Amino acid sequence: VQLQASGGGLVQAGGSLRLSCAASGRTFSSYSVGWFRQAPGKEREFVGAIYLGGRRTTYSESVKGRFTISRDNSKNTFYLLMNNLNPEDTAVYYCAADERTRVAHDMYYWGRGTQVTVSS
């Protein structure tokens, strides 16, 4: 599975962005998919995931209520809609996937990151 993230950019605080992650190489409708991020000088952290065949979503406390993960299996693509962004959300965002349906935090396949910068 190859993953390609896109949609990053510069946005003002309070604004929104939608990231996309296109998967190729294999039909992944049953895969768990997720988003992670890494801010400068910090370790990579979990943002959110869809797992259990799409029946369950989970988010980190820092983004819960502001970010939403969704997927379109017909397009082999999943998304991260980010609302009410703040400067602490500035990071490189990575999409990830795993064929294990119960996995949410520990993914096997990774895409290259896309930079999100939130100005104050």
Side-chain angles (χ1 to χ4, degrees):
V1 174
Q2 292 82 44
L3 303 174
Q4 180 64 52
S6 61
L10 174 64
V11 63
Q12 288 188 332
S16 299
L17 275 178
R18 190 181 77 159
L19 306 183
S20 300
C21 185
S24 61
R26 191 171 299 178
T27 301
F28 84 134
S29 59
S30 64
Y31 280 40
S32 298
V33 297
W35 291 91
F36 298 73
R37 67 185 182 184
Q38 187 167 19
K42 295 185 177 181
E43 294 186 355
R44 187 167 61 193
E45 65 172 351
F46 171 79
V47 174
I50 297 177
Y51 64 115
L52 288 177
R55 298 190 301 275
R56 190 75 60 87
T57 57
T58 182
Y59 299 92
S60 69
E61 286 299 319
S62 62
V63 307
K64 192 176 294 184
R66 300 187 298 123
F67 290 13
T68 303
I69 294 177
S70 61
R71 65 191 299 169
D72 185 341
N73 290 332
S74 68
K75 297 181 179 179
N76 265 19
T77 302
F78 58 103
Y79 308 93
L80 180 67
L81 175 61
M82 305 183 292
N83 293 322
N84 194 22
L85 285 160
N86 59 64
E88 290 70 38
D89 295 315
T90 295
V92 177
Y93 283 71
Y94 298 89
C95 59
D98 198 292
E99 60 186 336
R100 296 171 294 175
T101 60
R102 293 183 176 274
V103 165
H105 296 78
D106 180 22
M107 303 279 181
Y108 183 78
Y109 300 100
W110 291 85
R112 293 186 179 182
T114 184
Q115 175 71 46
V116 172
T117 303
V118 184
S119 63
S120 57

